[in-house]
Amino acid sequence: MPLAQTLNAGTHTTDAKAFIAWLDQQSSVAKNRKIGTQGYCMGGPIAFRTSAAVPDRIGAVASFHGGGLVTPNSDSPHTQASKTKAQFLIAIASNDDQRAPNEKTVLKETFAAAKLPAEIEVYENAAHGCCPPDSGVYNEPQAERAWSRLLALYSKALA
């Protein structure tokens, strides 16, 4: 956690640009195709900001039980939607939705205003951390559903 606490909107952006630049230097990377990025928990905001940092390279973004996607701050991850061209998948754990029930509405309104495709859904009976198999709250049916939606997104947005 001490290392994670050093990350912020600025480091998310500079890191994203550096990572994509490094990937684009690899001979195995098809630079004529879009890249997908996904994040779990605090990785959700990082994925959002990555799509805004390099909008011409990122075609798909997924957030699974993302934390802090909507904040009152001017650099809130959801405000990055107007800077990106990606398609989004946002899988919200039901207990995250109970904690912040308005976030899904803000996200839906934000992506509609930006005219960006976004699948935003609450995964019922899924707790924060439900997707990784080594999590204490792993929910196999919902994790498999999230994975299948990610594959569908990537098939469509990165083709």
Side-chain angles (χ1 to χ4, degrees), residues 112-134:
K115 296 181 176 39
L116 288 173
E119 179 180 322
I120 302 164
E121 191 168 344
V122 175
Y123 282 42
E124 295 302 326
N125 302 314
H128 182 87
C130 64
C131 289
D134 61 347

Side-chain angles (χ1 to χ4, degrees), residues 15-98:
D15 287 353
K17 290 177 180 178
F19 294 150
I20 301 303
W22 182 86
L23 285 171
D24 282 346
Q25 292 175 356
Q26 309 311 303
S27 61
S28 59
V29 172
K31 291 170 260 325
N32 61 332
R33 297 187 62 185
K34 299 287 185 178
I35 295 172
T37 183
Q38 65 197 61
Y40 298 80
C41 186
M42 67 181 224
I46 296 170
F48 272 50
R49 290 187 176 114
T50 297
S51 70
V54 281
D56 292 329
R57 291 295 287 124
I58 304 298
V61 176
S63 171
F64 302 104
H65 45 81
L69 298 178
V70 176
T71 73
N73 304 330
S74 62
D75 63 355
S76 176
H78 81 284
T79 65
Q80 304 305 299
S82 63
K83 301 174 186 172
T84 185
K85 301 172 186 174
Q87 296 180 42
F88 283 72
L89 165 64
I90 303 167
I92 304 167
S94 57
N95 65 340
D96 287 337
D97 183 57
Q98 291 167 354

Side-chain angles (χ1 to χ4, degrees), residues 33 36 38 59-62 64 87-89 117 119 123 143-159:
R33 297 187 62 185
Q38 65 197 61
V61 176
F64 302 104
Q87 296 180 42
F88 283 72
L89 165 64
E119 179 180 322
Y123 282 42
E144 288 299 317
R145 179 174 168 224
W147 182 251
S148 70
R149 299 308 307 142
L150 175 69
L151 293 177
L153 172 66
Y154 280 3
S155 293
K156 179 176 57 173
L158 307 179

